[in-house]
Amino acid sequence: MNSLYKDSRFQYIILANVASAIGSGITMIAIPWLLVTSDNGNEVFGYVAICMTIINFILTPYLGYLIDKISRKRMLVSSKVVSLLALALFSGAGFLGVDYELWHYIVIFMIGSLYYTIFYPTMFALNQELFSKDQFKVLNGTMEVQGQLSSMLAGAIASVLLLKWDLHYILLLDVCTYALAIYFFVKIPYVRKRAGGGVSEGSKRSAFAAIDFMKREPAMFLFLMASTLPFIGVMLTNYLFPVYLADVLKVEGDIYGIQGMVYGLGAVLAGIFVPVAARKFGDEKLVAATMVLFTVAISVMVYLPVGGYLFMMLLIALGNGGARVARNAFMMERIPNEIIGRVDGLLRAVGLLLRIVLLGMFTGLVSMGQILMCFTILAGILVVASSFVVVFSRKSVGMAGREVVKV
């Protein structure tokens, strides 16, 4: 563990992630709130979220292929540069006196969504490539803590800035943090590794390597798909929560920022304790336990006042963060790095397809004032996933052994 923290590559990655996560986090808190509080903003935000999910669904498999084929460091830096230039244009327009309209919010949201679609799977594959197997649990736990501490700070800052700053100042802050992140990413010592011997030459080249891999491991596929449900749930609630807070609880924007802080605290706790618990109980059992916690919290939170809602948000963060940390370590240990981008891309694509269907349904229900029905449907899906698929499939996956599965 000490060797990980002393590694200059790890240090630069942490610094880069902190810098960009704070800026982009503030912006991606501010923009949804500005959208849902605009005229017809609830419905527009829903359709924008659906549109971006469809775009991400189309792009994800190809991005997974690129992640396995080109320099992952180059992909990260390039995506940062493009995002920085785009946000600088919008910030500059604001300083020149342009009044932001609904379409500005939509485009900025789209930029942020596309950036996340590229960044997270690329960072995941790069981490697996750079570090050793015995570091994966601590690595993923530390990355979770770093990410969520950054989110907490972003939430704290956003709760103030939403009341005091105009959008062009917030965007300028994002541009500055992206520039700092680019500097740290460029500093990472990195040489693209050649493909190892764990995967056949045909699989290395094939765009369908992920499908071939999962066909050989159906129990693993079910386990990994089920374990994405908390994350999918969080992505869906990124649409539902602002609507619920504004229309049902009727709170101000600062509560939305505080919600981000509470969520970050819960995920930090998950990042600290899950790697320790994984050594004793195993990744599969931890995924099942944290999914149950997530499901219980999401099922009851909308029946509680603001204080209870925020406490359930803490448990939701523990559940989602814990499942993600354990699941990422599980994937890093069992899936060869030569195809990790495509396997991760396949899983993300299936998850995005589910999100498209549910977002379409939820947007229609929200337009009819049925926000609580959305949470009921989501809770039902989570109950099925956590009580059946994960609990039973983890037993089969756990017997597969601790070595990386070879194709």
Side-chain angles (χ1 to χ4, degrees), residues 123-160:
M123 191 77 259
F124 179 65
L126 179 64
N127 280 336
Q128 189 200 31
E129 181 182 358
L130 291 179
F131 303 104
S132 61
K133 183 177 177 180
D134 61 353
Q135 296 174 316
F136 288 161
K137 286 182 172 59
V138 175
L139 170 66
N140 284 292
T142 306
M143 293 296 291
E144 184 72 17
V145 171
Q146 166 267 306
Q148 298 307 329
L149 283 175
S150 300
S151 296
M152 286 176 62
L153 185 56
I157 298 173
S159 65
V160 175

Side-chain angles (χ1 to χ4, degrees), residues 56-379:
N56 291 337
F57 170 73
I58 295 170
L59 291 178
T60 292
Y62 180 67
L63 289 173
Y65 182 78
L66 286 180
I67 288 169
D68 288 337
K69 293 301 175 184
I70 67 175
S71 166
R72 288 148 183 177
K73 175 179 172 179
R74 186 182 304 165
M75 280 194 69
L76 287 171
V77 172
S78 299
S79 66
K80 288 279 186 189
V81 170
V82 172
S83 298
L84 182 152
L85 293 175
L87 293 177
L89 286 175
F90 280 97
S91 178
F95 279 105
L96 291 174
V98 174
D99 291 328
Y100 291 112
E101 300 177 9
L102 189 62
W103 75 267
H104 293 105
Y105 302 150
I106 292 172
V107 174
I108 295 169
F109 180 81
M110 292 174 70
I111 293 170
S113 179
L114 287 171
Y115 165 73
Y116 286 150
T117 298
I118 297 170
F119 176 80
Y120 286 111
T122 309
M123 191 77 259
F124 179 65
L126 179 64
N127 280 336
Q128 189 200 31
E129 181 182 358
L130 291 179
F131 303 104
S132 61
K133 183 177 177 180
D134 61 353
Q135 296 174 316
F136 288 161
K137 286 182 172 59
V138 175
L139 170 66
N140 284 292
T142 306
M143 293 296 291
E144 184 72 17
V145 171
Q146 166 267 306
Q148 298 307 329
L149 283 175
S150 300
S151 296
M152 286 176 62
L153 185 56
I157 298 173
S159 65
V160 175
L161 297 189
L162 278 170
L163 301 177
K164 297 184 178 295
W165 276 21
D166 292 328
L167 180 59
H168 54 282
Y169 287 103
I170 295 176
L171 295 178
L172 179 61
L173 176 62
D174 201 356
V175 168
C176 293
T177 58
Y178 271 33
L180 189 59
I182 290 169
Y183 169 77
F184 287 126
F185 274 125
V186 169
K187 294 282 287 183
I188 296 172
Y190 175 79
V191 177
R192 180 81 165 117
K193 289 184 179 180
R194 293 183 178 273
V199 182
S200 67
E201 288 299 322
S203 293
K204 292 172 191 173
R205 291 190 297 268
S206 174
F208 300 99
I211 297 175
D212 295 338
F213 182 85
M214 286 306 181
K215 283 169 64 177
R216 295 169 183 264
E217 299 291 335
M220 181 185 291
F221 177 74
L222 289 176
F223 174 81
L224 292 174
M225 277 311 309
S227 62
T228 62
L229 262 295
F231 175 74
I232 292 172
V234 168
M235 292 298 99
L236 291 168
T237 55
N238 284 343
Y239 166 57
L240 295 177
F241 284 155
V243 177
Y244 179 76
L245 288 172
D247 289 2
V248 179
L249 293 183
K250 300 186 183 302
V251 299
E252 298 296 328
D254 58 335
I255 297 297
Y256 189 43
I258 292 170
Q259 171 188 297
M261 294 173 57
V262 172
Y263 183 92
L265 175 61
V268 165
L269 294 175
I272 293 172
F273 291 113
V274 167
V276 178
R279 297 191 187 100
K280 181 176 181 180
F281 300 106
D283 296 323
E284 300 93 326
K285 291 182 180 179
L286 280 177
V287 170
T290 50
M291 277 196 68
V292 169
L293 178 64
F294 182 92
T295 301
V296 171
I298 206 82
S299 300
V300 303
M301 68 182 307
V302 292
Y303 302 103
L304 302 173
V306 174
Y309 171 93
L310 291 175
F311 179 71
M312 288 299 107
M313 185 61 61
L314 179 71
L315 300 185
I316 283 174
L318 277 167
N320 180 52
R324 182 167 57 245
V325 170
R327 179 180 181 272
N328 285 350
F330 178 93
M331 288 182 66
M332 283 184 173
E333 291 175 2
R334 290 161 177 79
I335 300 175
N337 187 254
E338 293 82 10
I339 61 168
I340 189 69
R342 282 163 287 180
V343 171
D344 189 41
L346 172 63
L347 294 167
R348 289 175 185 270
V350 176
L352 284 167
L353 182 60
L354 178 59
R355 282 166 57 188
I356 292 168
V357 174
L358 291 177
L359 269 175
M361 183 188 303
F362 290 172
T363 301
L365 288 171
V366 167
S367 67
M368 295 186 290
Q370 297 294 321
I371 181 69
L372 294 181
M373 180 60 69
C374 298
F375 284 101
T376 301
I377 294 170
L378 179 58

Side-chain angles (χ1 to χ4, degrees), residues 378-395:
L378 179 58
I381 295 171
L382 286 164
V383 166
V384 173
S386 60
S387 65
F388 179 75
V389 182
V390 172
V391 172
F392 288 97
S393 68
R394 70 180 176 83
K395 297 178 181 178

